[in-house]
Structures are given as C-alpha cells and as structure tokens.
Amino acid sequence: MSANPPRLARLLVRLVVPKRDRRFLVGDLDEEFAGLAAAGREPRALRRWYWRQVVGSVWPSLRRRRSARPARRRWLRPAVDRALQDLRFSLRMIRRNPVFSLVVIATFGLGIGLASTVFNITNAFVHQPLPFERSDRLLVVRRANPVKHVTDMGVTVHDLVDWRERQSAFERLTAYAPVLVDLSAAEGRPEREEGALFSAGVFETLGVQPILGRTFRPEEERPGAPPVIVLGYDIWQRRFQGAPDILGRTVVANGIPRTVVGVMPRGFVFPTVGRVWLPLEIDPAAHPRGEGPTFSVLGRLVDGTSAGEAAAQLSAIAARLGEEYPDSNAGIGATVKTLKQTLVPAAYYGLFYTMVAAALGVLLIGCANVANLLLARASARTHEFAIRAALGAGRRRLIGQLLTETFVLAVAGGGIGLLLGRFGLDWFAGEVRRVTSAVGTGMDELPFWINFEPDAHVVLFVVGATVLAAAAAGVLPAFRAVSPAAGETLTAGFRGSSSLRIGRLTGSLVIAQVAVSCVLLVLAGLMVMSLARLTTVDFAYTTDDVLTARVALPEARYPDAARRLRFHEQLLARLEAIPGVASTTLSDGLPPVRVGAWKVEVEGRTYAADQDYPRVRRALVTPGYFRTFETPVLQGRDFRDADGREAPPVAMVNASFVRKYFPDGGAVGRRFRPRPDAGDAPWLTVVGVVPDMKALPLGADGVSSEAQNPACYYVPMAQSQGAPTLAMALRTYGPPLNWAPDVRNAVAKIDPELPLFRVLSLDGVILRATWFYPVFGTLFMTFGFGALFLSALGLYGVMAFAVTQRTREMGIRMALGARSDQMVRLVMRRSLVQMGAGLGIGLPLAVASAGSIGWLLFDVQPHDPAIFGLVLLTLIGVGLLAAFLPARRAAAVDPVVALSVE
C-alpha cells in the first residue's frame, strides 16, 4: 500500500471546504503527512490519521452550510405550508358541499374513464413497442414507382443483391415474405400454419436467438441447399408435444421433407402471426431482371446512422440502378419505414386516433360542464373572496386555493377513470376473445404486438388527462372568481355575491360543447347505421346450417388446370356422398368475403381507353352453388353439369350487373367477356340472373377491397383454369361443424397431404369478418350518447344559472308589463344563438372526421345526409328543451318575489 494521502479524503475537502481555506488545510495536512511517513509510520495508520484530520476540518464547514440553508431556501417551507393549508381547506370544502363535489368527481371520472378506455385499446393495437431489442432501429425497405403512381412494391432478388453490396447504412439487409405452410410430421395428416420465408440473418437482425438449435445459414439461401425448417415454440408444443429430440427430425412442409434445425422462444411470431419459417432461396439466375418473386427487406441501422440517411442512400442506389438497367429499374425508387409502421395498417392509426379524439372530446365536454359549475359556485362565493382579500389574501393566493380545490376533485375523478379504463379494456379484450373463440380461431390470429395489458403509458396518460382536465376546468373560473376588486365587492354586500359576470365565458363553453357533440354524434350515427344495416341486410342467401372450409392446391402437385379440375370433380363427388348433406358446392370464394375485380367488355359498347372498362367482381362456381345458398334464379337457368370445358362459354350475372350494363333488360342471351391484359378471352353468354349476393366491404383481414362493387358475374368452374385455393360449402341437416371430420376425410382420401383450413360455419365466416362493427359501434355510441347527455346537462345548467342571475331584471320587466311569452323568447334567444354558433363549427369538423372512418362503414356513406340531418335535429331539439325549462321558470317569476331579493 503506497504512503499517499487518500484520494477520496482530498475530494471531500474540495467539495466541502471553502476555497479560501482549502489551500492552507491541504498544504498543512500534506506536510504533516509527509513527516509522519518519513518517520516510518505504517501506511494504513497514516491513512486513518489523515481521515480523522479531514473529518475534523470538514465538520465545521458542514455546520456553517447547514445553518445557512434556511437563508437560501426561505421560500420552501412556507410554500409547503401553504400547499398543505390549501389542501386541508379543499378537503373541508368537499365535505361541506358533498353533492357538488360528487357531481364534479363523477363528471371527471366518466370523462377520464372513457378516454382511458380508448387509450388502453389504442395502446394495445398501436403504441405497444415491438418485442425486439431497439425496435425503432429496425427498418423495412420496399420499392415504389412514382411515375406509375405505385407507392408500395416488393423488392426483387436482383435489387436485393445489389442493395446488399452497395449500402453501408445497415448492419445487414435481409428479406422475408409471408407464406402458408402445410405442415406435418414424416407420417401424419398435414395442417395449415401461418409462416414466412426468411433469408439468413433475419432472426439475428431482430435480435432473437433460438432456444434449441440454430437459425438459417447463408449457404441455405442458395439453390440446391438441404431443405431445413425452424419451428415456433407453439408449433413445437402443440404439434410435436415439446419433444426434446426435435432437432434433426424430419417434417413435411408444403410437400417437401425438411430437417428441423431450430426452435424459437415462446411468444416469438413474425411477421404478424407466422410461427414456422423456411429458408428463402435467393437465386438471381432463376428469373430475368425485374421478374420473379418479391420480398420485404429488413435491416437494422448502423449506430450513428439515421433513418433519413439510410433512405437517402437507398434512393441514390435505386437511381443508379435505374440508369444501369433502364428496362427493369427505370423510375423505381426505395421507400423506408419503421417495422412498426409496416406491420400496423395505416387505417388503424386513423381509426384509433379518431377514437382517442372522440374520447377526449367527451372529456372536454365534461370539463366545460365542470367549469360552468365552478363558475356558478365561484359567483356564489364572491363575497367570501372579497372578505379574504380585505384581510390580506393576495390574488395569487386565492387563485392557488381555487386551483387546489379543482385539482383535488380531478385527482379523485382520475382514480375512478383509471379503474373504468381497466374495466373498459377488459370488456374489449373479452369481446375480441368471444368472437375469436366463436369462430374457432383463437387469440393466436391476433398480431403478436397486440397486448391487452395496461402499462406505464396508460398511467402517464391518465395522469396527464387528470392534470389537463383540472387545468381546463379550473383555470378560467379561478381567474374570473377573483377578478372583482375586493373592496368594491365587499361594499356591494351580499347583493353582489351573485353578480359575477360570466355570460361570455359560459356561452363560449356551450358553443364548444355543441361543436364537439356534433362531431361525436355524427361518428356515432354512422357506426350505429352500419351496425343496423349489417343486422338487417338481405344477403340474398341463407346462412343457417352451412359448413364452409378451404383447401389449397400446391402448384408442385397441381401445376395445370387439368389436374386441378380433376381434383374438383373428385372432391365434389365425395362431398355429395356424405350422409346428412343436403347440397354442396365448390367455388373460389364465399359470398360474404369475395374480393377483387376484373375488367369486362360488354358487347355493343365502345371504350375509348383501358381505364374505361368497368371492373366487376367474379366467382368461379360449380353447379349447385345457388341451390346450396338457397338463392333463387330470377331469370333464365342455373348452371348444369353439361356446362363443361367443351360446351359454349356461359355466365350468370347478378341484378346489379344487369342494371348497370344491360339497363334495357333482357340480360339472358346477351354477351360480355373478361378483358385480360394480353390475349383474347372468349365471349360469355348470359344464361341466368340471380339477386345480389351481398359481399361484405371488408375482407377477413380487415383491409378495404373492391368487393364494395355490387356487380358480379359467375362462371362455371369447369370452364375455367380451376381454383388453386378452393372454398367448400355444404348445407347440412343440423349443426354444420358436426360434419367437419367427414369433410377432412373426403379430402384425405383424394390427397392425404392436403390440410383443411378456415373450417367455419357460414355464420362464423360473417362474424369473423364483421366482429369489429358491434365492438367499435358500441364505443362510438357511448361517445355520442355521453356527449349528448353532458351537453344537454351543461346547456340546462348554464341557462338555469343565467335565469337565476337575471331574476331582478326579469322581475322589473314583468312589473313593467312584459308578457310571459316575451320572457321565454328573451331567455331562449341566447340559447339559439349559442346552438347556431356551435353547429356552424361542429358540422365542418364532423365532415372532416367522418372521412377517417369511411373504410370501417358498412353500406353507409361517410357523408350520409340523413345522418347529418338527424344529428342536427337531435341537437337542436335537445338544446331547445334544455333552454325551454329555465325559460318557462323565468316566465313564472313573481315580480314582488324577484324584487324582494334585493
């Protein structure tokens, strides 16, 4: 141990001892320390001696600093004392006015509770961070072609290889693509699983390591590499019972035997719900440049590089590729988004932020009501404030007292709101679980980032909402309450205690309430109308006792139309032979969720440009389709078994098709043909007309589709190329899901490697595609009715208070001969002006807000005039009623009683 003064002791001297004394103290200590060291004292003893000297010298400095602290912080203790005094006084005022306090707390609680519920839901869908290390550094790269107005395209293999070689902004660039995997053990029936194709490095880029084995290696991207597979934890447990010897075992994925090389940890799914992963083959020689499969590209930014710099670099690379390969890359650019922005559809942000804004609007209305209550209460306490001011209380002191009272009430309401928000989240999660269990899919269909558990964000939101609500409701009343000079108010006596002039302020609050209520009622009306249309819509087919299922035909085993059509014939024959089945059909899509549209050319019409050809829905069906769904044929005939490949091409159309393209009637016998991008298609002769089989405007994946076009035509399956993904529908004599095992056996007898998926009743198919209508409709109805109730209550309270304030004036008017109807008009005129101003502001805001939920509406236009008219009449009616009651009371004022108040 060295004989040097302890460094920590010297640091203590520097921190505590004043500078003017520090030099002499340290110098004397060091000199004496050196003398003792020269005398041979042990180093440990020297250090203990030095510490004793330092402590003895530092203690006086600490005492001087402690004695000086109150002089430097004279404001702290009095401020704390004032705050505690205001808090105690606020609690006494709450006890003295329990009804008023409960009304304010309940208003705050309901407003904050609704806002908290919506934020909980929004947080679960949108704000939850991705469960990856530094997920904000994960970017997804795709391509765009602004010249052709294409904003989102996958990346081809050639571009991926070039980007990898030329970029420096990412640690690595990897590629992935979602894929459906028919998975089975070496011997066993396959089941369809959600999965993805991964290039080497995707798992490492995400920062996730397997719990067993390894991930993909770079050489497994190359053609001819040994086929391998990585399993998710759920698949390992559910399909292979968590076998510890899973590594090295052979499973069959999409008909190819593969070796299991890894198992990922519990909870890891990517992208969205993928739970099994295959290596992505990267072979630039397999396709000409610009052709072949496309992928999403994932990369993690290099430390010190921003997303903007990475986007600029990739755009520059894309521009150079456009110059080098003008035939395939001209005009192609690069787009960069965070992984979260890529996974969460943009429409979700609009929907959930609209919901948050609506909930905050209800909270704003509640704050306006509380502000009006506080203004009325402050008006009654003007004399009290004047006395306190005369006794020496400053304006700041009085404002602080009033704000403390409001803050205490808001905190109590915030606590209630936090509990209501948790209950609301549990209700929403329960509704989602109810729907997913009803259709037999389970919660594993929800994207992995959705987590119905509140976190710190929710608590911070409630705290912020509480503070903002207290400020919004309390600041203006507090400043207005102490604005009159204390001497003037005290001189005025009790007659002035209720003379606080708050007309303009309360009027502004009423206008804001009406405007916000208008927006919320329009949104609620649109959702209610969507729900009503959904529950009363005539689908033109019956949904009871219909079993549906899907099967996909792999291209490797069914490469051409002949093999697919042979499978269709064999399957249809086996399904019709199942006991208890009334009828059955095959198609490329079920009526409720058909998506997509095709260009058609109607015989006898001319089209100037390619974009002028109409786009209509199409369905490939087998004979018995309309019989299975109990849809009548309005004109002509149904498809027959004779409508095969060698027969003349025929089609059936629905009523909307006839109205749009054969408006003169007589559709049977008319002709039209699909218009492909290249080549000629045969003319189709219309042989029958059926009603519009209603197709939902949203697919099961929740994205907008062209299925909103009601026109549709039907083609016999035998006259097509066959459907690679086949939908089955069976009308049964009893609960349809009881026949699911028979359908599986029928498919397995033809091809045991084909799994069934989406095995649902037709009611389940509709429920799966429309579950959000009742759930979100209930939320928006709550917003609307809550806003309407609070606005009516606030308007009534303002008018009642105004009548009370003008009691003397009205008594004088009545004494001078004013009639009752004149008094009613006098009071209601102000209400009508405020209602008109509020509606003038609210209607344009409602028009803008309705567009944000247009994609969610069912058979309702976002700017439906009936909804807007109904909201307008409702608000006017409620406003007139809320104003009429105080006005009628004003007309009944006895002049003698009114003047005796003075």
Side-chain angles (χ1 to χ4, degrees), residues 694-777:
K694 190 68 176 180
L696 302 174
L698 297 176
D701 54 358
V703 298
S704 182
S705 71
E706 291 182 289
Q708 297 184 49
N709 184 1
C712 180
Y713 72 96
Y714 303 87
V715 175
M717 184 78 73
Q719 294 184 352
S720 72
Q721 296 298 310
T725 300
L726 201 61
M728 295 167 267
L730 296 82
R731 180 163 295 282
T732 61
Y733 295 110
L737 292 178
N738 293 345
W739 275 263
D742 297 316
V743 175
R744 283 194 172 90
N745 291 332
V747 173
K749 288 178 181 179
I750 303 173
D751 188 340
E753 296 184 9
L754 290 181
L756 286 186
F757 61 100
R758 301 277 173 84
V759 181
L760 303 168
S761 66
L762 190 57
D763 287 323
V765 172
I766 296 175
L767 178 61
R768 187 176 186 273
T770 60
W771 65 271
F772 41 82
Y773 286 108
V775 174
F776 287 102

Side-chain angles (χ1 to χ4, degrees), residues 310-477:
Q313 184 184 90
L314 291 178
S315 296
I317 295 174
R320 289 196 295 271
L321 292 176
E323 297 173 356
E324 297 172 11
Y325 308 100
D327 293 339
S328 61
N329 287 73
I332 300 295
T335 63
V336 175
K337 295 181 181 179
T338 64
L339 180 58
K340 185 64 176 289
Q341 291 172 336
T342 303
L343 294 175
V344 181
Y348 280 19
Y349 287 94
L351 169 65
F352 288 113
Y353 288 153
T354 299
M355 287 173 50
V356 171
L360 291 177
V362 177
L363 178 58
L364 176 64
I365 294 174
C367 291
N369 278 351
V370 172
N372 280 326
L373 290 173
L374 292 175
L375 282 169
R377 186 163 175 252
S379 176
R381 296 175 61 189
T382 305
H383 193 71
E384 170 199 338
F385 298 147
I387 293 176
R388 295 178 63 185
L391 294 177
R395 190 164 181 262
R396 182 181 300 177
R397 185 78 170 86
L398 295 176
I399 291 174
Q401 172 61 53
L402 292 174
L403 289 178
T404 301
E405 293 180 20
T406 306
F407 184 74
V408 170
L409 296 172
V411 168
I416 297 174
L418 187 63
L419 294 176
L420 291 178
R422 181 56 192 268
F423 291 148
L425 179 63
D426 291 342
W427 166 81
F428 183 86
E431 288 295 298
V432 174
R433 293 188 178 95
R434 180 185 64 82
V435 172
T436 53
S437 61
V439 299
T441 56
M443 294 296 286
D444 57 353
E445 278 208 1
L446 289 176
F448 66 90
W449 67 84
I450 296 178
N451 180 21
F452 292 115
E453 290 294 334
D455 56 13
H457 293 97
V458 176
V459 177
L460 291 175
F461 175 83
V462 172
V463 171
T466 300
V467 173
L468 290 177
V475 169
L476 288 178

Side-chain angles (χ1 to χ4, degrees), residues 616-677:
V616 298
R617 293 186 288 112
R618 185 201 70 181
L620 307 177
V621 303
T622 62
Y625 181 85
F626 301 106
R627 183 175 66 253
T628 300
F629 292 110
E630 297 184 346
T631 300
V633 178
L634 303 178
Q635 299 177 24
R637 66 172 177 86
D638 199 347
F639 290 135
R640 303 167 180 164
D641 293 335
D643 294 322
R645 182 167 291 275
E646 305 300 328
V650 295
M652 297 180 70
V653 297
N654 67 356
S656 291
F657 193 103
V658 175
R659 285 193 297 269
K660 284 188 174 183
Y661 310 117
F662 304 127
D664 55 346
V668 176
R670 305 284 289 272
R671 298 201 306 171
F672 68 94
R673 65 178 177 180
R675 184 173 178 83
D677 294 334

